[in-house]
Each structure stands twice: as structure tokens, then as C-alpha cells.
Amino acid sequence: MNKQVRRAVRNVPFARAANRVRVRRDLKILEALPAYAPNSAGYPEVRSAMALHAANRSIELVGQLADHVEARGLSVVDPVEFWAGAADHGAVGRLDELLRRHGSDKSTDHDYHLVYAGILDSMPQGSSLLEIGLGTNDESIVSTMGRLARPGASLRAFRDYLPTSAVFGADIDREILFQEDRITTTWVDQTSTESVRALEAQLPDDVHLIIDDGLHSPDANMQVLLLGLRIMPVHGWLVIEDIIPAAQDFWRVVAALLPNHFEATLVRAKGGDLFVVRRTS
Ligand SMILES: C[S@@+](CC[C@H](N)C(=O)[O-])C[C@H]1O[C@@H](n2cnc3c(N)ncnc32)[C@H](O)[C@@H]1O
């Protein structure tokens, strides 16, 4: 832009207004990401761009640090490796059929049933299961399954697969909560510590599998992981669904920080990875 044009733009009122909007946006970014903004003087537009860059890169670099904690590395496997021979196992076909019948996408869009069949079969008879995320059909809620969804689909599939277990579900959408044979659902906002603690108070002490299929954001996932560390019995499982490759560094860090009696595996599944935690002792 030459000098004449620049002067003309400065003199146009809407161009000055657009500039004010940009400065307000930059200051908002700096306010919203205080932990990532350079703690230094400088123009807001430069500092806000640096804050966004830092937010994207810091976890990746901490992930590289986690790689130095050798004993705590995150093993990465595909679903068939996770349970050797799972695909040939009759139980896998049965779980697939139940998930499809009730309307869950866990086997159609993902191949999560290859992992879940083995986990469900390893649970002590009659032990309980908790899943965060029922599958709302309200399209205004983030993580909706769409207008035609059948809320409670995966809970019903798990209930039918485990003939004597109690199945607990929790969701932020009050409209879809329901109670039926061996299924109890309750309200939770998994981004709130208080709300997750209130859910915890309602659970029995034999929850052998916790599934996070809710909001799918790292902070919401962490609330469920922390719940799991508090309540998982020995040999219990926790599965966090739908992890995208861009978030893998975050989960490498989490794996490195898990207490010794927990071990983590990242399962490279169709349409999103699973972070699987097992309590070993
Ligand atoms: C992908 S759906 C679950 C699908 C279901 N598990 C199935 O397989 O049929 C995700 C659910 O997470 C819920 N959700 C979104 N934000 C949440 C939050 N902050 N706390 C709890 N649940 C939330 C949505 O209401 C939605 O029902």
C-alpha cells in the first residue's frame, strides 16, 4: 500500500472503526489466555498472535519433555492389537449388533466395539459402568448426535451386553435423562468440579468401567480422568473417546504423570483415538 492510499484509509471512518475492533479483539485474546501471553511489553496485535502460538505449541513441547520420562511412555496400538484376535471373537460381533440396534455410532463410525468387547468381558460379573454423554438430539448443544439421535443408545447396548450390571449415565441435557431397567441417568456438567463431585457421590463403589463420550474437550476429559483416579477399583478401566491427532501431545503428558498403579494406552481407532487407562494394582 503506498503512502497516499494509507492516508486515504486512515481518513475513512469505517477503516478507523475496524482498527478499533481489531485492537479490542487482540486485548480480549490477551485477557483470555493470561498463561500464554508473553509477560513483556509490546503491541497488542503482536502479543496476542504470540499468545495463540504459545497456546498451540506449549503442550507439544511439554510432550517432548514427557518423552524423557522413559518408564511412563504412552504405548500406541491399533484396536486389534489392543485385544489380540478381538475381531475374530464372537463377543465383538454381538456388541457391534447391540450398538447398531440401539443407534450408537461406536461401531459404525468408529471401531470402538473391538476394544469395549474385551474390556466388558474382563469386568467382574455384576460390576457397574458409568458413561458421560447420553447422545442428545438437541442440535443447540455442543457434541449433539443430531436431530434423529436416540439418546441413551450406548447405555442400552452396554446394559444388554452385561446381563447383571448396573449402568449409570450422565449428561448436561436434562431433557434426555431417563431411568429404565438397570439404567440410571443423572445430570452433570463435566467441565465443573462441583458437578462431577456431586455425580461421584451418587455412584456405587464398584464402577469397573468409566467412559467419557461427552463434550470432548481436554479440560472436560481431565475432570473425568480425575474422577477415575479417585474411584477406579483395582483392574478397573477408564476410556476417553474421540481424541484427535492434534491432541496427542496433551495425552503423552497425561500418561507420563499418571500415578504408578495406572497405565495408559492410546488406541488408534477409526474416526478418533481412545485414551485407555487401567488400574493395575
Ligand atoms: C457424542 S454424544 C454421546 C453419544 C452416546 N454415548 C452414544 O454412543 O450413543 C455426547 C453427549 O455429551 C453431552 N455433553 C456435552 N457437553 C457436556 C458437558 N459439559 N457435560 C456433560 N455432558 C455433556 C451432550 O449433551 C451429548 O449428549
Side-chain angles (χ1 to χ4, degrees), residues 10 41 51 113 128 136 140 149 158 164 178 184 195 211 214 222 231 260:
R10 262 205 308 274
H113 61 300
S128 311
T136 185
S140 69
F158 292 135
T164 55
F178 66 98
T184 308
S195 176
I211 299 172
M222 283 307 296
I231 70 165
N260 281 335

Side-chain angles (χ1 to χ4, degrees), residues 104 106 131 133 135-136 142-143 145 154 171-172 188-190 213-214:
S104 169
K106 284 192 198 316
E131 180 167 26
T136 185
V142 176
S143 208
M145 293 289 283
S154 51
D171 202 284
I172 199 164
V188 75
D189 173 1
Q190 67 173 132
D213 186 18

